[in-house]
């Protein structure tokens, strides 16, 4: 149900190499903290004094934009916590231990971070912040600060304070934010948990066990609760002065004396779950603390006796997980049963810490002495089957994230646009057929599918296929249906193919455990035009065999097509019939029962097993197609691009190939020959992504025609070589490729911005600039260039005279 993946492999973060060095290789020491935000990862090293950010940029980000907006900052005081409003994850509050707060904002226009202000939380001199949180509804920052010297005789030297932030986009500073307000003073160190409308204050020892407080911002009231009795025993309304913790504890002393001591009910962990706090006891029972005065009992987790107090707990979707150095165990919050247990020996050795961000999109992971990882859900719990009833949101799990998101957005939309005062309750939304598009229902059904194709999901999908498949039903004319219509049609087509494969009587599974001769016979039977099975079924079975036996299937198909012989200029009728079927597009299989396309399958197999032969195969297929149909030069060129485009669309990433470097070069060649928009830039970026410097330089050299494209490719190549410290080996070749209209100022700017010293000595740099150029006199700049690129001291007047042209 849950999978563990390295952070560098989950998303397309920029500076992946640096992220791997910090978290996996730990080149700068152990990682102190990691905070995850949607689209961002913040990594703190050097005892929390150094911050690195890693951002996910859109694919449409201009390639020539030289980003200087990374939030790489050094601090004089360690960072305690990173706060972020739930609805604006691109806004960060970096809180230092001395109470200093730096405000940073990530712009989606410039794709860079910029500072929006800074301020101090504490007024007291020498105060130290111990814990801090941000409350979205209150728009306030709450913190627990230590005042005075902590001694064993008087540990109650802490104070709970708050500051309200101004509304809107006003720049934050000490003069624009609200004044410091003390809520509770002379208290032990406390944990702060934001609930929906209130703030929960949970004191640590030596506070009486089970005592906690709730602060309500609107009424300025503070409530004292006792966990064992599950009710509120003290309320102070209109609180203008901070309440003294000792006085409150003394008032409730008589109540605690009557509470029996039960070791089984001692608290094991406190787990924040969005708008509530889950209190986990050592016997596995869970109490839910929310805004309501009463405490609601939850489920009981089974088998928590082997989880020690040092374990870290996290709530993800409808599961609760315990993270230790030995195992990662997930419990169901509905039944309390163990859902999954993962051995942690390969992910950590000595220590492990959890990072969790509960925004509109929850991001959960952990980091250890072996790297930084992210948890991802592979499937949700299966929902119960409700035959002969409308498929509603209630059917597919009221507690699922998808259902909660639909409910919140629907209520928000209704509240903003409706003139009626009647509320749109959850019961109204959860009853009746409320779906405007079958795509929503398909998405919810698939969220409960773990790949096993259970009876409930199969029945639900079969009903949808009968109702909406093959254009059986008309959809409402909405923008959502217009957008999802083509995707939904393709999805139903794939579901039908899967159904045909399951219902087929073919013995394809028997071929998986047999020798090569049996595989060859099975492949020939599948591509036989006289076969009675449907083309979609046979193609699906051939895809399975190609995935299991790629080399044997490729050799069988090559023998069938007799590709080792040269192409005969006179194509007979049998060859025309065979190659017409082979070269037909994949989507033509459903339209023509006698057509069995093989071009895309062959391209995939060539790319995996023999990537260096793929381009030759595509060229041969184009030659055969031209000789069969005969066409003008313009049409031949157009069809040739179509063949390369089809080949490019059928292959995957080069990592799937047995020869990654050769596959990357092949992919780059296909991109150029396809004639797609920006094909040369995409081809060069593919080579640079796999650090294939020689082919990359050749691509730029082939297009060195002083055009705009030449300039763009040159800049991309130069920046990549500089960033990866590969420029010294290719400096002479790259300098010869410099476009004529590119000024020396631009070249110097790129060198100074992206070059990482040291890499070359002074003699090598002198060799670069020793050749005279008729079109550009750089003699006066030569000593400055050599000094800048080699890190030498400021040259003297004699040096300038001796090195001038």
């Amino acid at each position: 149900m849950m999978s563990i993946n390295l952070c560098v492999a989950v998303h397309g973060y920029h500076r992946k190499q640096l992220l791997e060095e910090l978290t996996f290789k730990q080149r700068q020491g152990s990682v102190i903290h990691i905070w995850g935000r949607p689209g961002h990862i913040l990594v703190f090293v050097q005892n929390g004094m150094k911050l690195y950010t890693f951002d996910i940029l859109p694919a449409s980000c201009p390639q020539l934009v030289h980003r200087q907006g990374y939030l790489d900052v050094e601090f004089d005081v360690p960072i305690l916590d990173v706060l972020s409003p739930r609805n604006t994850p691109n806004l960060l509050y970096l809180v230092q231990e001395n109470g200093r707060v730096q405000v940073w904002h990530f712009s989606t226009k410039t794709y860079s971070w910029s500072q929006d202000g800074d301020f101090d939380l504490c007024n007291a001199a020498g105060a130290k912040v111990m814990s801090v949180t941000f409350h979205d509804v209150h728009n306030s920052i709450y913190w627990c600060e230590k005042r005075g010297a902590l001694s064993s005789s008087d540990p109650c030297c802490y104070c709970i304070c708050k500051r309200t932030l101004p509304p809107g986009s006003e720049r934050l500073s000490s003069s624009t934010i609200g004044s410091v307000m003390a809520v509770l003073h002379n208290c032990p160190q406390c944990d702060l948990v934001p609930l929906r409308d209130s703030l929960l204050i949970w004191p640590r020892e030596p506070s009486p066990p089970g005592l906690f407080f709730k602060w309500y911002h609107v009424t300025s009231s503070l409530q004292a609760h006792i966990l064992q009795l599950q009710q509120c025993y003290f309320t102070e309304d209109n609180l203008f002065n901070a309440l003294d913790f000792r006085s409150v504890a003394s008032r409730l002393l008589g109540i605690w004396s009557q509470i029996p001591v039960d070791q089984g009910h001692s608290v094991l962990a406190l787990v924040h779950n969005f708008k509530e706090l889950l209190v986990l006891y050592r016997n596995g029972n869970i109490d839910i603390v929310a805004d309501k005065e009463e405490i609601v009992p939850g489920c009981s987790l089974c088998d928590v006796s082997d989880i020690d107090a040092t374990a870290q707990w996290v709530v993800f979707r409808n599961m609760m997980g315990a993270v230790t150095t030995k195992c990662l165990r997930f419990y169901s919050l509905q039944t309390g049963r163990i859902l999954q247990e993962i051995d942690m020996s390969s992910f950590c050795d000595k220590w492990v810490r959890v990072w969790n961000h509960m925004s509109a999109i929850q991001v959960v992971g952990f980091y250890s002495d072996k790297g930084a990882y992210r948890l991802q859900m592979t499937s949700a719990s299966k929902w119960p089957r409700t035959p002969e009833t409308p498929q509603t949101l209630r059917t597919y799990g009221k507690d699922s994230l998808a259902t909660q998101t639909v409910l919140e957005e629907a209520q928000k939309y209704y509240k903003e646009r409706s003139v009626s005062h009647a509320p749109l309750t959850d019961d109204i939304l959860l009853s009746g057929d409320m779906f405007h598009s079958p795509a929503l229902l398909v998405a919810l059904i698939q969220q409960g599918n773990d790949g096993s194709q259970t009876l409930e999901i199969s029945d639900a999908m079969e009903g949808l296929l009968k109702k909406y498949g093959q254009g059986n039903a008309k959809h409402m004319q909405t923008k959502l249906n217009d957008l999802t219509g083509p995707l939904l049609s393709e999805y139903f087509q794939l579901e039908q193919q899967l159904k045909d494969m399951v219902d087929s009587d073919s013995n394809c599974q028997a071929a998986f455990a047999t020798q090569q001769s049996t595989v060859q016979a099975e492949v020939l039977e599948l591509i036989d035009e006289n076969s009675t099975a449907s083309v979609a079924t046979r193609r699906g079975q051939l895809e399975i065999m190609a995935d299991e036996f790629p080399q044997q299937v490729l050799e069988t198909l090559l023998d069938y097509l007799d590709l080792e012989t040269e192409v005969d200029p006179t194509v007979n009728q049998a060859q025309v019939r065979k190659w017409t079927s082979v070269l037909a597009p994949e989507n033509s299989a459903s339209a023509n029962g006698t057509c069995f396309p093989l071009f895309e399958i062959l391209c995939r197999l060539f790319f995996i097993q023999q990537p260096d032969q793929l381009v030759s195969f595509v060229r041969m297929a184009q030659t055969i197609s031209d000789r069969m149909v005969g066409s003008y030069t313009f049409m031949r060129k157009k069809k040739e691009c179509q063949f390369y485009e089809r080949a490019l669309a059928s292959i995957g990433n080069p990592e799937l190939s047995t020869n990654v470097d050769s596959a990357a070069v092949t992919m780059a060649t296909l991109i150029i020959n396809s004639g797609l928009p920006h094909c040369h830039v995409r081809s060069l970026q593919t080579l640079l992504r796999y650090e294939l410097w020689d082919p990359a330089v050749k691509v730029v050299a082939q297009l060195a025609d002083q055009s705009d494209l030449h300039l763009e490719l040159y800049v991309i190549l130069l920046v990549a070589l500089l960033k990866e410290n590969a420029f010294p080996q290719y400096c002479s070749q790259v300098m010869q490729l410099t476009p004529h209209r590119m000024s020396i100022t631009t070249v110097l700017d790129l060198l100074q911005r992206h070059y990482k010293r040291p890499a070359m000595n002074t003699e090598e740099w002198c060799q670069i600039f020793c050749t005279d150029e008729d079109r550009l006199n750089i003699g006066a700049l030569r000593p400055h260039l050599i000094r800048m690129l080699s890190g030498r001291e400021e040259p003297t007047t004699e040096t300038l005279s001796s090195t001038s042209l």
Side-chain angles (χ1 to χ4, degrees), residues 722 727 735 747-748 751-752 755-762 765 768-769 782-792:
L722 291 171
F727 183 69
M735 286 299 179
V747 176
L748 290 178
L751 292 174
Q752 188 175 14
Y755 181 64
K756 300 178 181 179
R757 300 190 182 117
M760 293 183 64
N761 55 36
T762 306
W765 283 115
I768 297 175
F769 298 104
R782 179 180 297 168
H784 301 281
L785 299 175
I786 297 176
R787 184 187 72 255
M788 182 191 72
L789 298 174
S790 61
R792 293 175 58 187

Side-chain angles (χ1 to χ4, degrees), residues 187-328:
C187 62
Q189 185 176 347
C190 300
D191 295 321
L192 308 177
V193 180
L195 303 180
R196 179 165 189 155
D197 296 321
S198 62
L199 175 75
L200 189 143
I201 304 173
W202 193 280
R204 301 181 184 178
E205 293 184 354
S207 171
L211 174 63
F212 65 92
F213 301 87
K214 289 183 183 178
W215 165 259
Y216 291 88
H217 173 76
V218 178
T219 58
S220 297
S221 59
L222 187 69
Q223 294 180 354
H225 293 254
I226 299 178
L227 182 64
Q228 293 87 339
L229 302 180
Q230 298 190 354
Q231 58 180 311
C232 173
Y233 275 89
F234 177 80
T235 302
E236 185 73 24
D237 295 324
N238 299 321
L239 188 64
F240 297 102
N241 296 319
L243 200 64
D244 188 86
F245 172 82
R246 295 172 179 173
S247 64
V248 176
S250 62
R251 295 184 195 180
L252 304 176
L253 188 60
I255 300 177
W256 263 290
S257 62
Q258 303 175 11
I259 299 176
V261 179
D262 186 0
Q263 295 296 332
H265 271 71
S266 59
V267 176
L268 176 62
L270 303 175
V271 188
H272 184 207
N273 182 26
F274 286 97
K275 303 169 184 178
E276 59 191 18
L277 179 70
L278 305 183
V279 182
L280 174 64
Y281 301 96
R282 292 191 179 275
N283 60 2
N285 292 337
I286 294 178
D287 281 339
I288 302 175
V289 181
D291 284 316
K292 298 180 180 180
E293 289 190 5
E294 64 272 11
I295 298 176
V296 181
C299 66
S300 179
L301 304 185
C302 63
D303 195 14
V304 296
S305 58
D306 58 337
I307 304 296
D308 55 24
T310 60
Q312 301 179 70
W313 294 80
V314 63
V315 174
F316 186 64
R317 303 287 180 92
N318 56 349
M319 298 181 296
M320 189 171 180
V323 184
T324 67
T325 55
K326 297 180 180 179
C327 71
L328 173 60

Side-chain angles (χ1 to χ4, degrees), residues 510-681:
F512 290 163
T514 57
Q515 302 297 323
Q516 180 178 351
S517 59
T518 307
V519 173
Q520 181 179 7
E522 183 68 26
V523 171
L524 294 176
E525 181 180 350
L526 290 175
I527 62 179
D528 186 6
E529 61 181 8
N530 297 322
S531 176
T532 57
S534 65
V535 176
T537 302
R538 289 185 288 148
R539 280 190 55 81
Q541 294 171 352
L542 183 60
E543 290 281 4
I544 295 177
M545 295 192 64
D547 183 67
E548 188 72 19
F549 309 103
Q551 184 61 35
Q552 295 92 321
V553 174
L554 177 61
E555 292 175 356
T556 302
L557 294 178
L558 293 180
D559 292 340
Y560 167 74
L561 297 175
D562 195 18
L563 289 181
E564 295 182 354
T565 61
E566 294 187 4
V567 181
D568 190 353
T570 60
V571 184
N572 56 41
Q573 197 65 25
Q575 291 175 319
V576 169
R577 184 169 57 254
K578 177 190 295 185
W579 279 99
T580 301
S581 176
V582 169
L583 299 181
E586 274 187 323
N587 55 13
S588 65
S590 59
N592 188 354
T594 62
C595 180
F596 196 94
L598 291 175
F599 178 77
E600 280 78 3
I601 295 180
L602 282 168
C603 288
R604 283 191 286 272
L605 292 174
F606 269 117
F607 189 71
I608 295 173
Q609 299 298 125
Q610 304 174 20
D612 54 334
Q613 300 296 323
L614 176 56
V615 177
S616 300
F617 167 71
V618 177
R619 189 180 298 113
M620 178 181 294
Q622 174 62 35
T623 303
I624 295 175
S625 176
D626 292 340
R627 291 180 179 177
M628 286 192 306
V629 299
S631 55
Y632 298 103
T633 304
F634 174 76
M635 295 301 298
R636 288 181 180 177
K637 181 63 177 178
K638 183 177 180 181
K639 288 186 178 181
E640 181 180 359
C641 294
Q642 291 176 352
F643 274 100
Y644 283 109
E645 186 175 352
R646 287 173 56 189
L648 183 63
S650 64
I651 61 177
N653 294 325
E655 287 82 357
L656 302 175
S657 175
T658 56
N659 190 335
V660 177
D661 291 349
S662 179
V665 174
T666 299
M667 176 179 283
T669 305
L670 292 176
I671 293 174
I672 291 180
N673 294 339
S674 66
L676 295 172
H678 312 290
C679 58
H680 297 91
V681 174

